[in-house]
């Protein structure tokens, strides 16, 4: 289900004009992705593995395939 309103937005980064990610401070939904330039956003939490932070405070896009995020634990 695409999200149209994302609570707790903290950081955003785009890989290209269409594909981007948003980090949120909402501990239940910390990462969203768009593939349509930000018109719609999908929750990426089901695909995140490992220790979950309580939020993503910063995002840096390194290249077309790599993003770094810093979290709130």
């Amino acid at each position: 289900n695409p999200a149209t309103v994302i609570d707790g937005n903290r950081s955003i980064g785009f890989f290209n004009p269409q594909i981007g990610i948003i980090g949120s401070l909402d501990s239940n939904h910390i990462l969203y992705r768009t593939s349509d330039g930000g018109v719609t956003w999908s929750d990426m939490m089901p695909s995140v593995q490992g220790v979950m932070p309580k939020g993503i405070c910063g995002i840096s896009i390194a290249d077309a395939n790599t993003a770094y995020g810093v979290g709130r634990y």
Side-chain angles (χ1 to χ4, degrees):
N1 292 331
T4 55
V5 176
I6 302 168
D7 292 330
N9 293 349
R10 181 62 183 233
S11 55
I12 188 168
F14 274 81
F15 295 96
N16 61 46
Q18 295 299 308
I19 299 173
I21 54 177
I22 284 181
S24 168
L25 295 181
D26 177 346
S27 61
N28 295 312
H29 308 281
I30 61 168
L31 191 61
Y32 293 86
R33 180 181 188 274
T34 185
S35 60
D36 58 13
V39 175
T40 60
W41 295 87
S42 298
D43 187 352
M44 291 184 63
M45 286 300 294
S47 64
V48 176
Q49 299 176 2
V51 177
M52 299 292 175
K54 294 179 182 175
I56 296 180
C57 299
I59 290 175
S60 177
I61 304 297
D63 60 38
N65 299 305
T66 308
Y68 295 97
V70 292
R72 175 174 72 96
Y73 288 88

